[in-house]
């Protein structure tokens, strides 16, 4: 028997201004995208912004429904929209922002497991790392690839 370890390293910024220009822009888009949330049940507004390999940015926001499972997270709204709009382009990066009643939370907004799985597949499709930026009012985290937030990715079929 051998014990194995998985190490994850990521960057923590204390302000958006510390990031490079591309990430700053994507973070600002994710924060603005929170305005598109439809969250009459949770009142938790989430915005996401995806940067494509052609430089275009596609936004998404969470959409809730009275039949709860019919709603969709901001990240998947953004990624599915981006893939539908630019099917031949790769996703390079995704930024996520969220907070109660549309006010950015202090801690970074972290994506749910289902959204991580969808990120993983678009990263595999691209064959290149897709970075993930999680934005909070007090700190921002940047992960260089989806594997860092979803180790042992399932993509075997
Ligand atoms: N939500 C997202 O949009 N992204 C996530 O990764 C986690 C949760 C949304 C779904 C629901 O509308 C609300 O936040 C509360 O769960």
């Amino acid at each position: 028997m051998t014990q194995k370890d998985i190490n994850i390293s990521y960057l923590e910024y204390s302000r958006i201004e510390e990031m490079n220009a591309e990430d700053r822009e994507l973070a600002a888009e994710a924060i603005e995208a929170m305005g598109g949330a439809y969250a009459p049940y949770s009142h938790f507004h989430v915005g996401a912004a995806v940067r494509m390999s052609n430089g275009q940015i596609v936004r998404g926001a969470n959409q809730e429904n009275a039949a709860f499972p019919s709603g969709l997270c901001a990240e998947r709204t953004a990624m599915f929209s981006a893939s539908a709009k630019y099917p031949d382009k790769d996703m390079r990066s995704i930024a996520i922002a969220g907070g109660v009643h549309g006010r950015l939370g202090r801690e970074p907004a972290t994506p749910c497991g289902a959204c991580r799985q969808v990120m993983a597949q678009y990263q595999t499709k691209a064959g290149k790392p897709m970075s993930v930026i999680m934005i909070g009012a007090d700190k921002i985290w940047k992960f260089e690839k989806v594997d860092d937030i979803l180790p042992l990715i399932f993509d075997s079929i």
Side-chain angles (χ1 to χ4, degrees):
M1 188 268 274
T2 319
Q3 180 173 326
K4 308 262 187 183
D5 296 307
I6 296 174
N7 294 308
I8 297 170
S9 64
Y10 58 99
L11 299 173
E12 182 174 285
Y13 302 93
S14 46
R15 292 183 311 121
I16 282 177
E17 292 72 30
E18 291 174 9
M19 294 193 288
N20 68 40
E22 280 205 343
D23 290 348
R24 277 205 306 271
E25 184 190 22
L26 201 64
E29 292 270 353
I31 292 168
E32 276 187 39
M34 288 169 68
Y38 174 58
Y41 305 103
S42 73
H43 306 291
F44 191 74
H45 295 204
V46 186
V50 177
R51 181 181 294 283
M52 307 302 292
S53 51
N54 61 356
Q56 293 296 313
I57 292 175
V58 179
R59 291 182 185 184
N62 56 326
Q63 304 298 315
E64 297 184 352
N65 190 278
F68 284 8
S70 301
L72 195 63
C73 292
E75 298 91 319
R76 275 175 288 164
T77 305
M79 288 185 282
F80 291 156
S81 175
S83 181
K85 196 167 179 193
Y86 302 111
D88 303 327
K89 304 295 176 204
D90 295 336
M91 292 184 206
R92 289 280 159 79
S93 185
I94 183 168
I96 304 138
V100 180
H101 292 295
R103 229 182 106 191
L104 188 63
R106 296 168 72 93
E107 290 291 309
T110 55
C112 78
C115 289
R116 294 177 197 213
Q117 179 66 29
V118 171
M119 288 173 201
Q121 182 128 359
Y122 286 122
Q123 178 179 263
T124 300
K125 177 173 178 264
K128 284 183 198 143
M130 173 176 169
S131 62
V132 184
I133 298 166
M134 304 178 192
I135 304 156
D138 288 353
K139 56 178 104 110
I140 297 128
W141 294 331
K142 180 176 181 181
F143 299 82
E144 293 297 342
K145 54 189 187 306
V146 178
D147 314 54
D148 295 334
I149 58 166
L150 187 65
L152 311 175
I153 285 171
F154 171 75
D155 63 357
S156 351
I157 57 163

